[in-house]
Amino acid sequence: MFSARATNKLTMPGSWCDIPRGRQFRQSLEAQLAPWWPKMFGFHLIKIGALSCEIDSSDCMIPHQVNVAPQGNTLQVFGEAAQLPFLDKSVDVCVLANNLGYSSDPHWLLREADRVLIEDGWLILSGFNPLSLLGLRKLIPLYSHQHPQSSRMFSQFRMLDWLSLLNYEVMHHRLFIPVPWCDPDSFGNRYGRFLGCISVIVARKRTVPLTLMPQKRRILKPGLNNVVGATRQQTPPDCLKRR
């Protein structure tokens, strides 16, 4: 697996409004997550980062929902995403909306979220897709320093690979909004989703490995018990011998 560390400092936008058509991106992301909020239960939900804090999670049954970011007006906890001020295995749901693209070390960010999540906890990820029209605009110098082209874009396949290494079961993943400059109900946005500008992943933390290692398979494989005398040739008694 290639390193995903960034050498230059990345500045995360303070709101979806700082991203061109950011409001449309946020509303479409909320529509993707709407069917999943009622399925999540527990005691604590945290939204990490300024973009995550603006995601509407009012349909979730979890009562204690905390916004975590370095700065902002709607925060309950001031903190960095790479150093969360929470105990191990103390959070039921963790939301990382477009955080990986603005993190200098996304691997560490995922491990930190994994640290605070309980067993069978929920992890929600989203990010901009490099194989999209927004990804192509990164090649144009005029747009390369603007949001969201200034962020790092990871493909959905790469993020799924990271989650598999951390032993997460992916419950839902999808690409959406392939043409952000058109209406969401337009022909391109409805039938070109494989080139969507935003990807969303809903996953659950698992304790039992989803794929058993070869050593585990040999241990768990039932062996054949040797029956005493099953392979030994028996000599018939004298009364049964032919005279």
Side-chain angles (χ1 to χ4, degrees):
M1 182 174 62
F2 297 101
S3 176
R5 289 189 178 184
T7 55
N8 56 334
K9 185 176 178 59
L10 302 171
T11 304
M12 188 171 185
S15 172
W16 287 96
C17 297
D18 297 335
I19 302 175
R21 296 173 181 82
R23 183 178 180 182
Q24 177 186 355
F25 292 149
R26 177 179 57 81
Q27 292 176 347
S28 299
L29 180 58
E30 291 174 347
Q32 294 291 327
L33 297 176
W36 292 95
W37 293 125
K39 302 178 182 180
M40 301 178 186
F41 299 93
F43 298 97
H44 307 289
L45 180 151
I46 61 173
K47 304 177 187 178
I48 304 174
L51 301 182
S52 302
C53 295
E54 296 184 359
I55 300 298
D56 183 16
S57 59
S58 57
D59 292 337
C60 185
M61 301 299 294
I62 297 178
H64 189 217
Q65 302 185 12
V66 180
N67 296 337
V68 184
Q71 56 183 359
N73 298 325
T74 61
L75 303 179
Q76 287 80 36
V77 176
F78 291 89
E80 295 289 342
Q83 296 179 345
L84 296 174
F86 302 108
L87 297 176
D88 296 355
K89 300 180 181 180
S90 60
V91 176
D92 300 279
V93 181
C94 183
V95 182
L96 290 170
N98 296 64
N99 288 65
L100 300 181
Y102 292 98
S103 173
S104 58
D105 193 348
H107 294 165
W108 180 263
L109 183 59
L110 283 178
R111 293 190 189 98
E112 187 69 3
D114 178 74
R115 178 185 67 82
V116 301
L117 273 178
I118 65 170
E119 310 299 348
D120 294 330
W122 294 81
L123 178 63
I124 298 175
L125 290 177
S126 67
F128 294 107
N129 181 24
L131 305 177
S132 63
L133 294 179
L134 288 180
L136 293 177
R137 293 185 73 177
K138 289 177 67 70
L139 304 176
I140 304 176
L142 180 63
Y143 300 104
S144 60
H145 299 288
Q146 301 178 5
H147 293 301
Q149 289 79 222
S150 61
S151 68
R152 307 172 67 199
M153 299 182 182
F154 302 107
S155 65
Q156 189 174 85
F157 177 80
R158 191 174 184 184
M159 291 192 292
L160 292 174
D161 182 52
W162 293 346
L163 292 178
S164 65
L165 293 176
L166 293 174
N167 199 46
Y168 277 77
E169 180 183 1
V170 176
M171 312 298 293
H172 172 73
H173 64 91
R174 192 173 186 180
L175 297 168
F176 55 97
I177 312 184
V179 188
W181 303 279
C182 298
D183 186 84
D185 295 328
S186 63
F187 179 83
N189 282 328
R190 293 170 64 182
Y191 298 100
R193 292 173 179 170
F194 60 94
L195 293 176
C197 293
I198 296 184
S199 64
V200 61
I201 301 175
V202 180
R204 296 197 73 176
K205 180 179 179 180
R206 298 305 189 189
T207 53
V208 179
L210 300 179
T211 303
L212 294 179
M213 299 175 61
Q215 295 84 352
K216 281 283 188 180
R217 290 179 179 176
R218 286 196 292 268
I219 294 175
L220 298 178
K221 184 178 180 180
L224 296 177
N225 296 327
N226 294 326
V227 180
V228 178
T231 59
R232 187 173 57 189
Q233 185 176 3
Q234 300 290 339
T235 303
D238 295 339
C239 62
L240 296 180
K241 291 181 180 180
R242 293 183 178 180
R243 299 183 179 274

